[in-house]
Amino acid sequence: MVSIEKMEMNEEAYTLDGTVDRHGQPAIRGRTGTWVSGILLLVNQGLATLAFFGVGVNLVLFLTRVLGQDSAAAANNVSKWTGTVYIFSLLGAFLSDSYWGRYKTCAIFQAVFVVGLVLLSISTTLFLLKPSGCGDEETPCGSHSTFHIVFFYLAIYLVALGNGGYQPNIATFGADQFDEEDPKEGHSKIAFFSYFYLALNLGSLFSNTILGYFEDQGMWALGFWASTASGVGALVLFLIGTPRYRHFEPKGNPLSRFCQVLVASTRKWKVERTQGEENLFEVDNKESAMNGDRKILHTDGFRFLDKAAIITPKNYAKQGKKFYGRNPWRLCTVTQVEEVKCILRLLPIWLCTILFSVVFTQMASLFVEQGAAMKTKISNFNIPAAGMSSFDILSVATFIFLYRLVLDPVVARIKSKPKGLTELQRMGVGLVIAILAMVAAGVVEVLRLKDAKKDCPNCVNASSLSIFWQVPQYMLIGASEVFMYVGQLEFFNGQAPDGLKSFGSALCMTSISLGNYVSSLLVSIVMRISTRDDMPGWIPGNLNKGHLDRFFFMLAALTTADLVVYIICAKWYKYIKFEGRKGADDNSDNGQAEAAAAAEHRV
């Protein structure tokens, strides 16, 4: 009796989700993970974000003032650089899920990030700021050699590589520190994503205000070295937590698993698919546990792919009840097939988030131009238009705490469930608030135009309307981020198969990237259509002669249409269900029973 109790205590001492410690042994609950690791990673994220935005927030000014590029070329180079960051996020997610694991991937790419920051600071200090004191609005810098330019671009693209590869993995790695099979830790895992997004915004707040101010005054070396110090601090903190971290082992190349399902199902396109799961192949529980995998329950939909798991005489040699010599390009497991189905179901939801990112990007572009054309002076102090984004960050912080401490418990009590709004519902709320933000921006523009000076050549303080009229639209964008981006992080992390968790986080970043490109495309299309001989277009250089309000109202209409499509996709979506645990949707109470019934049919 005593030995049985000891065995049960030993079993309870380990995590239940399959995580291991740094030595590859099952993770002991009391010695690894939880908020000890989580807080380290949150501070790491805040410092890394501060370092990254300390470079990115004023990069376009650096290119124009220090390197002497014109505005169009500088904006184009910044767009390419930003897009490259998100492309590298896919590389980081692939290496993490396939080969390196999240810890190793984060450590390597953070080291690359720091190297890039050091090289950028050195090149700026030694080569680019010549003569001394140049780089502000008044003092131009001299010409630079090809070596100096190449050195600079090598540095900033190393920054892009490091941040891009690190960013999709750190959120997922932070979530790995909480055992979702434990009720208490499972709740903390959900809360982690909210605090992660808060840490990201607090880091960007400091870089957008303090560092942005110094760099705008021409103190580029100070700003870049401060970013470097922040990046080094982030890396040191990350490494300090090494003995405490929990890890999931990488599952191998997901592209090959995906292609195997497509090839196997195509080869069997003539094979009849019978009802039931008796003729579908799945490994037994023992083999699955040895591989550290959780089996995914079979679902209806995409029935053609099920043919990849149909057992035929050509697929195997049989001796007793065991299969030998299975060719994965001819016979796949049900779990492998369901992984492909899961990705196909996620794609429509992901596509619907891109238009939200189009709305979000206006905060860094057209909102700033709109603010610059308003009254920005209070007494003798000039408020920088870009500084209004501080209200967005304050809104994010406010609404994260309001949601976690007030709204979520109230909704959970009303629904009589332990959890309030689902991730899909929160993302829908985010789209609704984004529509309101665009309407607010359009109304402010209508009011601004009423008090505008029509012949203002540069649109600086071109209207008597105070810039503080922009506060509501920034606050609404911040609230929408809490519901959309935090919900997105939780949704893609929870719904991605075990071997594709980092890829799920990368989807969030790529939606932001595509939002930038779609926004640029929309502006180009609108200007081409709206520009005529007697009209300068909706968004001309002098906003007082345009109709920026119409563009904002158009985005509100497009987002409304996107919301309708999103609701249809959300209703169609089927949550992933793992064998032996409850599903995530409203009918998940039957998850255990379905798992038991399905297990009877497994080979």
Side-chain angles (χ1 to χ4, degrees):
M1 185 71 179
V2 176
S3 60
I4 293 177
E5 290 178 353
K6 286 183 177 180
M7 289 176 62
E8 290 177 350
M9 289 177 63
N10 288 334
E11 288 177 359
E12 290 176 357
Y14 295 102
T15 55
L16 304 175
D17 59 356
T19 49
V20 297
D21 60 20
R22 60 174 173 158
H23 302 296
Q25 300 300 316
I28 299 175
R29 188 182 302 280
R31 300 179 187 174
T32 59
T34 66
W35 282 112
V36 177
S37 300
I39 291 174
L40 274 177
L41 295 175
L42 290 176
V43 178
N44 166 268
Q45 170 65 14
L47 291 174
T49 303
L50 188 158
F52 176 74
F53 280 100
V55 174
V57 71
N58 278 328
L59 184 58
V60 67
L61 293 181
F62 186 88
L63 294 177
T64 53
R65 296 181 184 177
V66 178
L67 297 189
Q69 298 180 5
D70 59 54
S71 297
N76 190 34
N77 284 326
V78 171
S79 296
K80 290 177 182 177
W81 180 77
T82 305
T84 304
V85 172
Y86 295 112
I87 290 173
F88 284 142
S89 73
L90 293 174
L91 173 64
F94 174 78
L95 291 173
S96 170
D97 288 334
S98 304
Y99 305 111
W100 290 353
R102 285 183 270 279
Y103 170 79
K104 187 176 181 180
T105 305
C106 286
I108 290 175
F109 279 105
Q110 279 194 87
V112 172
F113 180 54
V114 169
V115 170
L117 289 170
V118 170
L119 293 180
L120 174 62
S121 301
I122 290 174
S123 69
T124 302
T125 304
L126 298 183
F127 307 136
L128 302 181
L129 294 180
K130 302 293 182 181
S132 179
C134 73
D136 56 11
E137 285 188 282
E138 299 176 357
T139 310
C141 292
S143 59
H144 306 99
S145 68
T146 302
F147 171 76
H148 295 161
I149 300 298
V150 170
F151 195 94
F152 166 78
Y153 275 107
L154 171 65
I156 63 170
Y157 275 92
L158 281 176
V159 170
L161 171 62
N163 185 264
Y166 150 86
Q167 201 59 238
N169 293 293
I170 192 66
T172 309
F173 186 58
D176 291 345
Q177 307 310 307
F178 303 94
D179 183 1
E180 62 185 348
E181 299 294 332
D182 177 76
K184 185 177 179 180
E185 288 195 26
H187 181 75
S188 297
K189 182 172 186 173
I190 295 173
F192 176 83
F193 289 107
S194 296
Y195 299 130
F196 177 85
Y197 197 72
L198 176 62
L200 186 153
N201 276 270
L202 291 177
S204 64
L205 174 63
F206 185 86
S207 56
N208 286 344
T209 53
I210 307 301
L211 291 187
Y213 172 79
F214 285 122
E215 291 170 358
D216 186 59
Q217 297 300 311
M219 291 179 271
W220 296 100
L222 174 62
F224 290 157
W225 279 114
S227 291
T228 302
S230 183
V232 171
L235 178 59
V236 170
L237 271 178
F238 180 82
L239 297 176
I240 286 174
T242 300
R244 181 85 193 185
Y245 295 140
R246 296 174 185 173
H247 309 264
F248 280 104
E249 307 243 347
K251 306 298 181 183
N253 190 337
L255 290 178
S256 63
R257 297 201 306 273
F258 192 94
C259 292
Q260 284 167 0
V261 173
L262 298 182
V263 170
S265 57
T266 302
R267 282 176 167 174
K268 298 177 183 177
W269 68 278
K270 291 184 178 180
V271 176
E272 290 295 327
R273 168 76 171 90
T274 59
Q275 294 294 326
E277 303 174 29
E278 294 84 354
N279 65 333
L280 298 183
F281 176 75
E282 181 63 283
V283 297
D284 58 31
N285 290 326
K286 183 177 180 181
E287 182 179 345
S288 176
M290 288 175 63
N291 294 331
D293 294 328
R294 293 182 294 179
K295 290 190 288 188
I296 305 175
L297 295 179
H298 175 263
T299 60
D300 294 325
F302 303 106
R303 294 179 64 84
F304 173 77
L305 296 175
D306 288 339
K307 295 185 177 184
I310 294 177
I311 303 170
T312 65
K314 295 181 180 180
N315 294 147
Y316 60 89
K318 187 175 182 181
Q319 179 178 336
K321 293 185 178 180
K322 293 187 178 181
F323 297 95
Y324 295 92
R326 177 174 69 92
N327 183 349
W329 294 93
R330 291 184 177 273
L331 179 63
C332 303
T333 65
V334 170
T335 294
Q336 196 174 342
V337 172
E338 290 301 319
E339 286 181 349
V340 177
K341 289 184 182 182
C342 179
I343 298 302
L344 294 178
R345 290 190 181 108
L346 286 175
L347 289 179
I349 301 292
W350 172 72
L351 288 172
C352 289
T353 65
I354 293 174
L355 200 58
F356 175 85
S357 294
V358 174
V359 172
F360 175 73
T361 59
Q362 305 314 309
M363 190 172 57
S365 54
L366 293 182
F367 280 17
V368 176
E369 292 190 34
Q370 182 189 46
M374 300 174 75
K375 182 182 178 181
T376 59
K377 282 193 174 182
I378 296 180
S379 186
N380 293 325
F381 183 73
N382 187 57
I383 302 170
M388 293 296 290
S389 61
S390 300
F391 288 100
D392 164 77
I393 297 170
L394 292 174
S395 176
V396 168
T398 301
F399 276 94
I400 281 178
F401 286 111
L402 278 177
Y403 177 78
R404 287 295 171 199
L405 300 178
V406 180
L407 182 60
D408 192 51
V410 169
V411 175
R413 193 175 298 114
I414 293 173
K415 295 172 64 177
S416 299
K417 290 189 175 181
K419 188 177 180 181
L421 297 174
T422 67
E423 291 88 356
L424 287 174
Q425 289 170 340
R426 285 157 55 193
M427 291 160 68
V429 172
L431 282 172
V432 172
I433 300 176
I435 295 169
L436 297 177
M438 287 297 97
V439 171
V443 170
V444 168
E445 182 63 13
V446 170
L447 296 174
R448 191 195 69 80
L449 287 172
K450 286 184 178 179
D451 297 325
K453 304 170 186 175
K454 300 297 182 183
D455 297 325
C456 165
N458 299 316
C459 280
V460 177
N461 293 326
S463 175
S464 59
L465 191 70
S466 172
I467 194 174
F468 285 106
W469 277 83
Q470 284 192 309
V471 170
Q473 65 202 56
Y474 277 102
M475 295 290 285
L476 286 169
I477 289 288
S480 68
E481 288 177 65
V482 172
F483 286 95
M484 172 57 80
Y485 282 142
V486 176
Q488 212 177 335
L489 276 171
E490 292 181 26
F491 178 74
F492 286 122
N493 182 270
Q495 293 302 298
D498 286 343
L500 292 168
K501 294 293 186 184
S502 296
F503 173 76
S505 297
L507 284 177
C508 302
M509 297 187 67
T510 51
S511 75
I512 299 174
S513 175
L514 289 175
N516 279 277
Y517 293 128
V518 173
S519 178
S520 299
L521 179 63
L522 283 175
V523 170
S524 299
I525 293 173
V526 164
M527 287 301 293
R528 177 167 294 185
I529 294 175
S530 63
T531 302
R532 297 185 180 89
D533 293 336
D534 57 338
M535 291 182 61
W538 286 3
I539 318 173
N542 183 352
L543 291 182
N544 292 342
K545 295 183 177 181
H547 279 287
L548 183 59
D549 54 325
R550 294 179 184 176
F551 184 77
F552 288 144
F553 290 139
M554 183 193 74
L555 283 183
L558 288 175
T559 309
T560 301
D562 182 58
L563 175 63
V564 173
V565 176
Y566 173 80
I567 291 173
I568 295 172
C569 293
K571 286 183 174 293
W572 168 81
Y573 184 80
K574 291 183 179 179
Y575 279 83
I576 190 171
K577 292 183 178 180
F578 294 97
E579 187 172 278
R581 58 179 292 197
K582 295 184 179 182
D585 61 2
D586 291 337
N587 299 321
S588 63
D589 293 338
N590 297 324
Q592 296 265 12
E594 291 178 6
E600 295 177 2
H601 300 300
R602 296 291 182 263
V603 175

